[in-house]
Amino acid sequence: MDPKLLFCLPQGDELFNPLNTLFIQMGCILVFSQLFYLMLKPCGQAAPVAQILAGIVLSPVLLSRIPKVKEFFLQKDAADYYSFFSFVLRTSFMFLIGLEFDIQFLRRNFKKVSVITLSSFSACSLLSLALVYILTPLLHIKEDYLTLFMTLFVTLSNTSSPVVLRSIADWKLNTSEIGRLTLSCALFIELSDVVIYTLVIASISKSMIGNIFLFIFATGALILLNKFLAAWLPKRNPKEKYLSKAETLVFIIFLLIIAVTIESYDINSSVSVFTIGIMVPRQGKTHRTLVQRLSYPIHEFVLPVYFGYMGFRFSITALTKRYYIGLVIIVILALAGKLIGVICACIYLKIPKKYWLFLPTILSVKGHVGVLLLDANYSKKKWWTTTIHDMMLASLVVTTLVSGVLASFLLKAREKDFAPQKTCLESHDTHEELRVLSCVYGVRHARGTISLISALSGSHGASKPFAALLMHLVPLPKKRKSSELLYHELGDDVHGDDEFGTNDGLEINDSIDSFAKDSKLLIQQVKLVTKMLNMHVEICNATEDLRISIVFLPFHKHQRIDGKTTNDGEIFRQMNRNVLRHAPCSVGIFVDRNITGFQQPHGFDSVQHVAALFFGGPDDRDALALCRWLANNNLIHLTIIHFVSEDSQTESPVGNTTTQDNNNVFIEVAGRDQTEHEADRSFLEEFHNRFVTTGQVGFMEKRVSDGPHTLTILREIGEMYSLFVVGKSRGDSPMTVRMKDWEECPELGTVGDFLASSLDVNASVLVVQRQRHSHDNFLDD
C-alpha cells in the first residue's frame, strides 16, 4: 500500500488531511515533551515547561520553518480542527479540576484567596493602564483604547490553573498549605478572568447579555441532573465497584452538550464546566469513578498536548524591532504586576516571607484564557493585526516559561522551606490541619479505622481542619504462575480484579460511603499493591508525599466472634515494626476489638468513654496530644489517667483536680531525667488549663508503687472504657518494673502489650509512637 494513501496525503481525500496531521502532531508533542522532561527533571523543572518547549520545537520558529514540515503541519482548514480539539481538551481538564478541587480548604482560606486575587488584579490594572500609554505610540494605535486596556489587563493578570496544578503536583506540593493556596488562587484568578473575557467579547461582538443568564440556568439544570444521576446510577449495580463505561459516558455527553452550546454563542464555558465538576456529589461510586477514569488520560495525555499546542502557536518570525520591544515590556510588566500585587497581599495576610517570591512567580504562568481572548473576533478593530496577535501570544508563552523556570529555581534554592515539616503531634495544634493516613488490609480493619477517624474528626458538622486518607494495602504473592495475567491486565474495569482485594475493596467503598453520608466527612482512598517486603517503604514514602501527621496501622491480631484473638501472621507484624522504625511521622497501632471495644461515634447516640494513660515521655505526650482532637467530639467522654510513682514528690504537676461523672483517674509522675520531667509537667499543665478546667475532659491522679501495682489498676479499669490511648515507650520507669516479663509484642510497649493481650480488658487500644530520629532507639526488641 502506498504510504500516502495511509495518511490521506495528496492522493487521499483532502478533507481528512488536517485530522491526520493533528494526530501525528499530538504524537510528536508527546515524544518531544517526554524527552525534554527527562532532561529537565534533574534541574527541578515541572512538566509544563518541557511540554511548551516541545510545542515550540514543532512551531514555525523551528521545525515548521522547513518547507515540507510546514506544508504538512500547517494545512488548509487545520485551524478549525485545532480549535475543536483544544475546546474538548479544555473542557475535560476543567471538569476534572472541579471534581478534585478541595472545597473545604477554600472555605477555610477564602479571605487569603480573595485578598491575593484582588491585590493581583489591582496591580495588573494599574500596569495595564500604563502599558496602554506605552504601546499606543510604539505600535501606532489610534483608537478603541478601552478594548486595548481590557486585552492587556487579561493578558497581564491571567493565571493558568492547569499549569499551576501540574507544576504543583510535579513538585509534590499539592498536599501542602502553600501548594493548595497557590492552586486556589490560580483558579480564582482564572475564573475571574473568564468572566472579564466574556464581558470583553460581549462588548466586541455586541451580543446579548441575556444569553449569559440563559446558560447560567442551563448549568444549574445540569448540576441538578448530575446530582440525580450520581445517586441513582450506583443503585443499578450495587455489587459493582465502579460505574460502567456506558454510564460514565452519559456524564461526559451531557457535559459536552452544555459546553458546545455555550461556546456556540461566543461565551466561554470554563466557568460552567468547572462549576458542574465541583457540584458533583463527592461521596459515593459516581465521583470515585469519574476521578479514577479521567485522571490518568488527562494528566498523561490531555494536558501535555494542550501545553504543547500552546507552544506550537509561538511565532515571532514576523515581528520587527518595535514589536520585540513591546513583547519584552509586556513580559516584564506581567511578572511585575504579580510580584507587586501578591507580595502586598502577603504582607497584609502575614504569610511567611519564605513564600513571598514563589507565590507571585508561579501565579504568573499564562494559559488558555489569554489565548482565547487573543483568538477572539477583532476583525472590526483596525489596530488588531496579525503581528500584534503574534506578539501578544508570544508574550504569554515567554512569561509562562520564565515564571515556570524561576519558580523551580526558587524551590530548589529553598528546598528546606518547602519540604514536609517533620513535627510531632505535641507541637501540632488543633487549629492546624490534622492529616491522618489509615492503612487497612480488608473491610474488617476498615470498619475499625473509620470509627477512629470518626472520633478524631470532631462532632457532626465540625469545621476544624481535618483530612482523612485510607490506604487499602493489597499484598502481592511471592510467586505467580506464568499463565496468570499481570495485575493491571485483570478485568475490564478500572481495577477489575477478582483477586488482590477486589471484594474487600467493594465493601470498603460501601463502608466509606455510608460513613460519608452520615458524617459529611470525605475520606480519600488510596490503593497500594506491592510485595509485603517493600510495603513499609511505600507507606513511608506516601506519608512524606502526602504530608501525613500520623499513620494508623492495624494490629497483626484480630478479635473473633467468640471474643478470642487470632494471629494473622508474623509477616504483618514485621511490616508494622518496619514502619515504626522508618516512618517520617507519628505512628499509631490500632488494636480493634470490634465486638466489645470502640464503635463509630457518628453511628451511636450514647457517649463513649475513652481513657488516655499518661506515664510520661515523648510517646505519651504525643498520645495525649492526639487526644486533643478526641476532646472536641461531643460523643466522646475523655478521661486522662496519669500514673504517678509513690517515690516522686508529693507536688501535683498540674495542681488540684476534680473528678467528673465519678470516673476514676489515676496519676503518677515518673522518676526520670529533669528535662523530660519538665516537658511532661509543662504539657500536662497546658492540657489541663485548656480542657480540664473547661469541663471537657476528666482528670484525677493516683499513686502506684511498681509494675504489678500498675497492672492491678489497669485490670480494675479494663471494663470502664471502650478505648485506651497510650504511648509506646517510656524508658526505665519504676511504674512498669517487671511488666516486661510477660511482654509478647514489644512494638506495643509494656502497657499497650498488656492491654492488647489481657482477658480483663475488653476495650480497643491505640498505641502511639512519636516520629523517631536517627539517634533514637527505634524499637524496644
Side-chain angles (χ1 to χ4, degrees):
M1 178 183 290
D2 190 342
K4 292 184 178 181
L5 293 176
L6 179 64
F7 293 104
C8 300
L9 289 175
Q11 287 86 347
D13 188 350
E14 291 186 357
L15 178 63
F16 296 98
N17 283 345
L19 185 62
N20 291 322
T21 300
L22 177 64
F23 287 114
I24 295 173
Q25 184 182 351
M26 288 179 179
C28 293
I29 288 175
L30 291 174
V31 171
F32 278 108
S33 63
Q34 189 63 25
L35 292 175
F36 279 118
Y37 184 59
L38 292 175
M39 291 187 293
L40 297 176
K41 188 178 180 180
C43 303
Q45 298 299 324
V49 173
Q51 289 150 6
I52 293 175
L53 288 175
I56 293 176
V57 169
L58 297 173
S59 72
V61 176
L62 293 176
L63 289 182
S64 290
R65 296 190 69 177
I66 303 173
K68 289 291 184 181
V69 177
K70 181 179 180 180
E71 180 182 352
F72 183 75
F73 277 153
L74 303 177
Q75 298 181 30
K76 182 182 178 182
D77 299 327
D80 294 335
Y81 287 90
Y82 293 156
S83 177
F84 175 75
F85 273 91
S86 175
F87 155 73
V88 174
L89 300 181
R90 170 165 49 87
T91 301
S92 60
F93 67 64
M94 288 304 295
F95 181 62
L96 179 64
I97 291 175
L99 286 173
E100 296 183 325
F101 187 65
D102 191 345
I103 305 175
Q104 296 298 329
F105 181 85
L106 180 61
R107 288 175 180 172
R108 296 197 306 267
N109 297 273
F110 183 76
K111 179 183 177 182
K112 290 183 180 179
V113 174
S114 57
V115 168
I116 291 174
T117 301
L118 291 175
S119 181
S120 172
F121 278 175
S122 300
C124 290
S125 63
L126 292 176
L127 292 179
S128 299
L129 188 61
L131 192 57
V132 170
Y133 288 97
I134 296 174
L135 292 183
T136 47
L138 181 66
L139 304 180
H140 306 299
I141 298 174
K142 299 181 180 179
E143 63 177 359
D144 200 8
Y145 301 127
L146 178 60
T147 304
L148 176 63
F149 168 77
M150 296 298 292
T151 303
L152 293 174
F153 171 71
V154 174
T155 302
L156 265 62
S157 64
N158 175 39
T159 298
S160 174
S161 59
V163 176
V164 173
L165 172 67
R166 187 58 190 264
S167 300
I168 291 295
D170 284 349
W171 293 324
K172 296 184 178 180
L173 296 176
N174 49 335
T175 56
S176 66
E177 288 286 321
I178 187 61
R180 287 181 290 172
L181 177 63
T182 303
L183 179 57
S184 298
C185 291
L187 273 169
F188 213 76
I189 291 172
E190 184 167 50
L191 297 179
S192 300
D193 273 326
V194 168
V195 175
I196 297 172
Y197 157 83
T198 303
L199 296 177
V200 172
I201 299 305
S203 65
I204 293 174
S205 60
K206 308 298 182 181
S207 61
M208 298 297 294
I209 302 298
N211 291 334
I212 299 176
F213 294 98
L214 176 62
F215 294 126
I216 291 175
F217 173 79
T219 301
L222 185 56
I223 289 172
L224 294 176
L225 178 61
N226 280 347
K227 286 192 174 184
F228 169 76
L229 291 175
W232 176 71
L233 287 177
K235 297 178 182 177
R236 297 181 67 248
N237 298 299
K239 295 183 179 181
E240 295 295 330
K241 200 173 176 186
Y242 296 92
L243 298 183
S244 68
K245 295 176 181 178
E247 291 168 339
T248 306
L249 189 61
V250 170
F251 284 89
I252 305 301
I253 290 175
F254 282 138
L255 182 71
L256 288 176
I257 289 174
I258 288 292
V260 168
T261 306
I262 293 175
E263 294 280 342
S264 65
Y265 284 82
D266 291 331
I267 298 176
N268 188 271
S269 62
S270 296
V271 175
S272 295
V273 171
F274 173 79
T275 305
I276 292 169
I278 207 172
M279 294 303 293
V280 172
R282 296 304 174 100
Q283 66 274 7
K285 188 187 299 184
T286 301
H287 183 269
R288 186 164 51 245
T289 302
L290 290 173
V291 172
Q292 191 79 5
R293 287 213 169 98
L294 292 177
S295 292
Y296 182 82
I298 287 178
H299 286 290
E300 300 301 325
F301 174 75
V302 171
L303 288 179
V305 170
Y306 193 85
F307 298 148
Y309 175 62
M310 182 177 173
F312 179 76
R313 300 191 60 190
F314 180 78
S315 178
I316 56 174
T317 54
L319 301 186
T320 58
K321 182 178 179 180
R322 57 183 177 142
Y323 290 103
Y324 279 115
I325 294 174
L327 170 63
V328 173
I329 293 174
I330 293 173
V331 172
I332 292 174
L333 292 185
L335 294 171
K338 294 292 185 183
L339 191 68
I340 296 171
V342 175
I343 288 181
C344 289
C346 290
I347 294 173
Y348 172 75
L349 296 170
K350 298 181 181 180
I351 293 176
K353 291 183 179 180
K354 59 185 177 182
Y355 303 135
W356 283 11
L357 289 178
F358 171 77
L359 196 56
T361 303
I362 189 60
L363 289 178
S364 297
V365 295
K366 309 302 178 185
H368 66 271
V369 176
V371 175
L372 288 172
L373 180 64
L374 299 181
D375 290 342
N377 183 14
Y378 286 159
S379 58
K380 297 181 181 179
K381 309 299 178 184
K382 295 180 180 179
W383 58 269
W384 185 254
T385 62
T386 304
T387 309
I388 292 180
H389 175 273
D390 291 344
M391 179 194 70
M392 300 290 285
L393 189 59
S395 69
L396 296 179
V397 176
V398 173
T399 305
T400 302
L401 289 175
V402 170
S403 56
V405 171
L406 287 177
S408 64
F409 280 123
L410 286 172
L411 278 176
K412 206 167 185 63
R414 307 195 66 174
E415 189 174 356
K416 292 183 179 180
D417 293 335
F418 294 89
Q421 300 298 318
K422 299 180 180 180
T423 58
C424 56
L425 292 177
E426 181 183 348
S427 59
H428 197 116
D429 204 357
T430 53
H431 71 272
E432 301 173 358
E433 184 179 45
L434 181 70
R435 298 184 62 82
V436 173
L437 175 65
S438 299
C439 299
V440 302
Y441 293 103
V443 67
R444 181 178 65 246
H445 301 134
R447 288 167 182 163
T449 198
I450 288 174
S451 300
L452 196 57
I453 290 172
S454 174
L456 291 171
S457 64
S459 302
H460 187 82
S463 59
K464 295 290 183 181
F466 180 81
L469 298 94
L470 187 142
M471 178 178 283
H472 185 192
L473 306 178
V474 183
L476 280 174
K478 291 183 179 179
K479 295 181 179 179
R480 297 180 57 82
K481 297 179 181 179
S482 58
S483 60
E484 290 181 323
L485 295 175
L486 297 176
Y487 173 74
H488 68 276
E489 296 175 329
L490 297 173
D492 295 328
D493 211 18
V494 180
H495 286 294
D497 46 300
D498 295 327
E499 203 177 350
F500 306 135
T502 296
N503 295 330
D504 273 345
L506 179 60
E507 294 185 49
I508 289 172
N509 291 342
D510 292 340
S511 299
I512 291 176
D513 294 342
S514 177
F515 169 72
K517 183 178 180 181
D518 179 60
S519 66
K520 307 303 180 184
L521 177 69
L522 300 177
I523 299 179
Q524 182 181 345
Q525 297 182 65
V526 184
K527 191 170 187 178
L528 175 61
V529 183
T530 185
K531 295 181 179 179
M532 282 298 296
L533 293 176
N534 301 326
M535 189 167 286
H536 70 281
V537 177
E538 299 294 337
I539 292 174
C540 292
N541 291 338
T543 56
E544 190 162 9
D545 293 342
L546 298 172
R547 299 173 190 260
I548 298 300
S549 308
I550 182 170
V551 55
F552 294 129
L553 303 172
F555 191 45
H556 67 278
K557 297 180 181 180
H558 71 272
Q559 186 182 38
R560 301 187 314 198
I561 297 178
D562 59 4
K564 297 181 180 180
T565 58
T566 299
N567 194 330
D568 293 325
E570 285 299 311
I571 191 170
F572 298 101
R573 179 186 181 188
Q574 187 59 42
M575 200 281 293
N576 288 351
R577 291 157 68 94
N578 289 334
V579 175
L580 286 168
R581 285 189 179 100
H582 304 292
C585 63
S586 298
V587 181
I589 295 183
F590 186 47
V591 183
D592 179 28
R593 289 188 170 96
N594 56 320
I595 300 174
T596 60
F598 191 67
Q599 304 295 329
Q600 184 185 133
H602 284 105
F604 290 80
D605 296 330
S606 60
V607 173
Q608 296 192 63
H609 295 274
V610 177
L613 310 182
F614 191 89
F615 293 82
D619 290 348
D620 276 10
R621 291 199 298 272
D622 248 29
L624 191 56
L626 184 65
C627 291
R628 291 181 294 197
W629 280 268
L630 295 176
N632 290 322
N633 196 320
N634 295 333
L635 298 176
I636 300 292
H637 187 281
L638 176 66
T639 304
I640 307 304
I641 303 179
H642 184 194
F643 289 79
V644 184
S645 175
E646 287 183 347
D647 298 333
S648 65
Q649 298 178 358
T650 58
E651 179 186 3
S652 172
V654 292
N656 295 326
T657 57
T658 58
T659 311
Q660 294 187 356
D661 299 336
N662 296 321
N663 288 313
N664 293 325
V665 185
F666 312 97
I667 303 182
E668 176 188 10
V669 177
R672 59 196 314 110
D673 179 79
Q674 185 64 26
T675 303
E676 203 67 45
H677 172 78
E678 288 300 324
D680 292 342
R681 176 186 172 86
S682 175
F683 185 75
L684 274 173
E685 188 170 357
E686 185 272 335
F687 192 94
H688 180 274
N689 293 335
R690 181 173 177 181
F691 295 103
V692 178
T693 56
T694 59
Q696 288 180 263
V697 177
F699 196 97
M700 255 180 131
E701 46 183 82
K702 176 101 177 180
R703 310 175 79 81
V704 295
S705 56
D706 53 17
H709 192 187
T710 301
L711 292 178
T712 301
I713 294 173
L714 291 176
R715 289 190 181 99
E716 291 176 357
I717 64 175
E719 296 184 359
M720 297 173 57
Y721 303 96
S722 61
L723 174 66
F724 286 102
V725 182
V726 63
K728 171 182 171 288
S729 177
R730 56 200 46 82
D732 297 326
S733 171
M735 297 174 290
T736 57
V737 170
R738 294 168 55 191
M739 288 180 63
K740 286 190 176 182
D741 296 344
W742 303 282
E743 194 173 56
E744 296 180 2
C745 302
E747 65 271 18
L748 296 181
T750 52
V751 176
D753 177 67
F754 170 77
L755 294 171
S757 59
S758 175
L759 297 177
D760 299 319
V761 178
N762 295 321
S764 301
V765 183
L766 176 63
V767 180
V768 178
Q769 175 189 275
R770 177 183 291 197
Q771 173 209 343
R772 295 305 197 229
H773 300 282
S774 57
H775 60 274
D776 292 333
N777 182 19
F778 286 127
L779 200 61
D780 301 326
D781 288 318

